[in-house]
Amino acid sequence: MTDRADGSAGENATHLPVLLDRVLDLFAPALADRDATLVDATLGLGGHTDALLHAHPRLTVIGLDRDPEALERARARLAGHGDRIRFVRAEYHRLPDVLAEEGLTAVEGVLMDLGVSSLQLDRDERGFAYARDAPLDMRMDPTRGTTAADVLNTYSVDELTRILREYGEERFARRIAKAVVAERERRPFDTSERLVRLLYDAVPAPSRRTGGHPAKRTFQALRIEVNSELDILRAAVPAAVDALAEGGRLVVESYHSLEDRIVKRVLARGAASRTPEGLPVELPGHGPELTLLTRGAEKADEEEVRRNPRAASVRLRAAEKRGADGS
């Protein structure tokens, strides 16, 4: 899931799965009336998984999450499903290892709901929301790794410029990076309020009036850097495609263009013929690996966005694994 434009959560948005009905519809042909296994690669609080388990009595779910608190909360929420769900603490690009440990060679479904979970966003101490003063942490696994404060206090101007430009698509990346390095000489960064004040000063007033909250892009860039989100996603989507059984389906919900671009490229590549250009016929075994199930990226309608502001930026893509002969 993702945050609202102002970085706040909204009481009515808490823990609502995004595009739930559409996710259920997309998975139904692969899961209905059969023994099936689905990997929820970003379990979070388990909203999508709960609905899928209710919809398909013969379904088993393997729920992955790197956040130990999320797994604990999901375990309590989904306890009524008994041994039909297994919980695994892992980053989702480790999907092949997880399946090997479970003794599985293929699954009927993989779901990825990317970005920050409701739990992470709603807990001030996790430091994801720029509308509230909080420690500059932003780790999805709060037990290990580099924090956002570490990045701000140790990266060079060039390194900060790179992540702000690449991961935040921030026009004023170098100006912000220079301001951060100068300010940390006075006192290291530890909480978000001081960073937000700096960003207000560093971003020109005309851009603040038309470009949304000046902290949004910087916070996104820091979060992606801290959690290696795009590197993990680049490995995870091809791994998910490889893990699908014939007729199995992959559904991915992204929340910004950087994520969606990676997903789009992998699915488009899988849906293209592998026969060398110029040959008059399709070579056996060289047909497309995937059939695309969505035309472009699907978005939430106005009613869902009204009920759940976190759905405003969602982009959903889905694909089905074809047979070895391309059928």
Side-chain angles (χ1 to χ4, degrees):
M1 293 187 178
T2 190
D3 51 331
R4 286 170 52 179
D6 62 0
S8 62
E11 291 287 337
N12 66 332
T14 302
H15 308 160
L16 293 178
V18 173
L19 291 176
L20 178 59
D21 289 343
R22 182 59 173 144
V23 169
L24 291 173
D25 288 344
L26 284 165
F27 277 123
L31 306 180
D33 303 321
R34 71 195 72 178
D35 295 329
T37 301
L38 176 140
V39 176
D40 187 338
T42 51
L43 182 63
L45 293 172
H48 287 103
T49 280
D50 188 37
L52 286 162
L53 287 167
H54 278 296
H56 304 289
R58 296 166 62 183
L59 174 66
T60 298
V61 172
I62 301 171
L64 277 56
D65 208 292
R66 70 168 87 178
D67 186 337
E69 185 179 2
L71 285 175
E72 181 180 345
R73 295 276 294 274
R75 193 185 301 274
R77 177 180 185 175
L78 302 171
H81 296 292
D83 61 4
R84 294 176 59 213
I85 177 163
R86 299 195 283 279
F87 301 90
V88 180
R89 183 178 173 185
E91 294 170 341
Y92 58 95
H93 69 305
R94 286 195 55 239
L95 176 61
D97 298 330
V98 172
L99 294 184
E101 290 164 5
E102 295 285 336
L104 296 170
T105 57
V107 294
E108 284 67 39
V110 178
L111 170 65
M112 297 180 181
D113 185 14
L114 305 175
V116 186
S117 74
S118 299
L119 170 65
Q120 292 160 346
L121 187 62
D122 293 343
R123 297 288 290 272
D124 287 358
E125 65 270 22
R126 303 297 292 272
F128 287 100
Y130 47 78
R132 303 185 293 274
D133 190 29
L136 282 165
D137 192 316
M138 299 192 194
R139 291 173 297 172
M140 291 180 177
D141 179 349
T143 67
R144 59 184 179 180
T146 300
T147 68
D150 295 330
V151 172
L152 291 166
N153 291 326
T154 64
Y155 280 29
S156 68
V157 169
D158 287 344
E159 289 171 322
L160 288 170
T161 299
R162 177 187 61 79
I163 68 166
L164 292 173
R165 188 171 288 150
E166 291 183 9
Y167 299 159
E169 299 178 293
E170 173 58 70
R171 290 169 54 201
F172 306 103
R174 181 158 289 272
R175 180 187 298 205
I176 292 170
K178 288 181 176 179
V180 165
V181 171
E183 177 64 15
R184 79 190 187 199
E185 293 300 316
R186 190 173 67 84
R187 178 163 59 89
F189 286 92
D190 55 1
T191 63
S192 57
E193 182 182 18
R194 189 158 146 251
L195 175 60
V196 171
R197 288 202 308 269
L198 178 146
L199 293 168
Y200 263 106
D201 292 338
V203 174
S207 181
R208 293 202 305 267
R209 288 193 292 268
T210 60
H213 197 291
K216 181 178 182 179
R217 292 177 294 278
T218 293
F219 270 61
Q220 174 180 297
L222 289 170
R223 192 197 82 214
I224 290 172
E225 174 70 8
V226 165
N227 296 289
S228 302
E229 291 180 41
L230 299 186
D231 290 339
I232 288 174
L233 183 61
R234 289 187 187 98
V237 181
V241 171
D242 290 344
L244 291 176
E246 181 178 339
R249 294 187 166 202
L250 169 65
V251 177
V252 185
E253 294 181 321
S254 305
Y255 294 89
H256 56 74
S257 59
L258 299 174
E259 293 174 337
D260 183 57
R261 199 173 300 142
I262 292 170
V263 176
K264 177 182 178 180
R265 287 172 179 167
V266 174
L267 298 191
R269 187 165 60 244
S273 171
R274 292 166 288 177
T275 296
E277 289 186 19
L279 293 184
V281 295
E282 190 92 77
L283 292 178
H286 285 66
E289 184 180 18
L290 298 173
T291 297
L292 301 183
L293 301 174
T294 54
R295 297 185 64 181
E298 296 184 358
K299 300 183 178 182
D301 60 26
E302 292 182 1
E303 174 59 23
E304 176 159 3
V305 173
R306 185 191 64 78
R307 288 185 289 106
N308 184 4
R310 292 179 184 168
S313 57
V314 69
R315 298 168 172 89
L316 181 149
R317 295 183 187 269
E320 181 178 87
K321 187 75 166 282
R322 302 176 70 155
D325 60 357
S327 61

